[in-house]
Amino acid sequence: MSTRTIVHLMRHGEVHNPDGVLYGRLPEYYLSDLGHEMAEAAADFLSKNEIIHLVASPLERAQQTAEPLSKILEVAITTDERVIEADNLFEGRTFGVGDGALKRPANWWKLRNPFRPSWGEPYAHIAERMRAAVTDAREAARGHEAVIVSHQLPVWIARRSFEEKSFVHDPRRRQCALASLTSLTFDDDHFDGFTYSEPAGHLIPDVLKGKKFVGGA
C-alpha cells in the first residue's frame, strides 16, 4: 500500500520595504504588520493539517512567517539554507526603468541571457537545492505533511521542476502570492501533483496584487 505525503511550499508574508528595493538575501528585512497578519492567516488555514515537520529559510521574513504555525502546532522550526532566496546582482537596488537600475546602460549586460538567467543564480541551481530540501522534508514527514517557508522565485522554480516545465518565465506571471501555498503531493516517492491556495489572499491589497517581482528575485 502506498504512502501519501504532502510538502507545502509557503511564500513568506509582506515585508516592510518602503523604498521598494530588491532586498534579495539582505538581512534585516522583516515582515510588515500586514505580513504578520498574513502569517497568522496561513497558520490558521493549516492548523488542522497533519503537519509534523516545519522548515524555513534563514532570512528573517521566512522565520517570522513560520513562527505562528510553529506555535499552533508545537513543531520546532528547522532552518535550511537550501530554501533561501535566489542570489541576484540587483540586490539592494530599485529595479526598473526611470530611477531604477535599468536606467543605467552599464546594467543592461546583466540582462543579456534570460534563460540562465544572467542577472542572478541559475534556475537549474535553484531547482536542485529546492528539490533536495523537498526530498528531505518528505522523508521527515512521510505519511503526513511538511511545510517549507521560502521565497517566491525558489517556490516557483521548484514547482516548475516537479511539473517538468521550462524554468524560463515572465516574473509578473508567477502564481505565488504572498503567504500562498504550493502543496506538492507524493505517492511514496513519486510526485503526484500539486494544489495552489492563498489563505491570506483576502488580506492582499489590490495595489500589491500586480507587484510580484519587487522584493525578492
Side-chain angles (χ1 to χ4, degrees):
M1 185 175 180
S2 62
T3 300
R4 182 173 178 267
T5 307
I6 299 176
V7 179
H8 304 276
L9 303 180
M10 183 191 298
R11 183 186 174 192
H12 61 78
E14 188 204 34
V15 175
H16 180 66
N17 182 19
D19 296 326
V21 303
L22 195 151
Y23 40 74
R25 295 181 178 180
L26 293 175
E28 299 185 3
Y29 276 88
Y30 301 97
L31 293 184
S32 65
D33 290 342
L34 178 60
H36 283 290
E37 288 185 57
M38 292 176 175
E40 294 284 353
D44 183 65
F45 181 83
L46 290 170
S47 61
K48 294 180 173 58
N49 290 49
E50 294 184 0
I51 295 165
I52 64 170
H53 188 61
L54 176 59
V55 174
S57 157
L59 296 175
E60 293 95 341
R61 58 194 185 268
Q63 294 282 322
Q64 289 180 313
T65 301
E67 284 172 4
L69 188 59
S70 174
K71 290 177 181 177
I72 288 176
L73 299 178
E74 298 183 345
V75 175
I77 300 171
T78 298
T79 300
D80 191 337
E81 293 278 351
R82 295 174 298 182
V83 302
I84 198 169
E85 178 62 279
D87 195 16
N88 194 297
L89 296 177
F90 292 100
E91 187 177 274
R93 309 180 191 182
T94 56
F95 186 85
V97 295
D99 61 350
L102 295 187
K103 179 181 179 181
R104 302 172 182 84
N107 288 326
W108 297 349
W109 175 250
K110 297 172 184 175
L111 302 174
R112 66 192 180 279
N113 184 357
F115 302 102
R116 185 180 183 267
S118 54
W119 58 83
E121 183 180 3
Y123 293 141
H125 290 183
I126 300 171
E128 182 179 9
R129 61 180 172 85
M130 287 296 293
R131 286 186 71 106
V134 168
T135 295
D136 286 351
R138 186 191 71 216
E139 287 299 317
R142 188 171 286 274
H144 302 280
E145 300 178 37
V147 173
I148 297 176
V149 183
S150 185
H151 309 268
Q152 188 191 69
L153 181 56
V155 169
W156 179 250
I157 291 298
R159 168 177 159 176
R160 301 289 286 185
S161 177
F162 281 103
E163 289 185 288
E164 298 183 347
K165 292 185 177 180
S166 171
F167 297 146
V168 181
H169 65 284
D170 181 343
R172 297 167 298 180
R173 296 184 179 275
R174 295 172 188 161
Q175 188 183 41
C176 191
L178 292 163
S180 63
L181 296 167
T182 299
S183 303
L184 311 174
T185 299
F186 296 90
D187 187 2
D188 288 333
D189 297 339
H190 173 71
F191 174 63
D192 197 37
F194 76 95
T195 59
Y196 174 77
S197 56
E198 297 183 2
H202 62 290
L203 295 172
I204 302 176
D206 289 341
V207 70
L208 290 179
K209 289 181 180 178
K211 294 184 178 180
K212 299 182 179 181
F213 191 54
V214 173

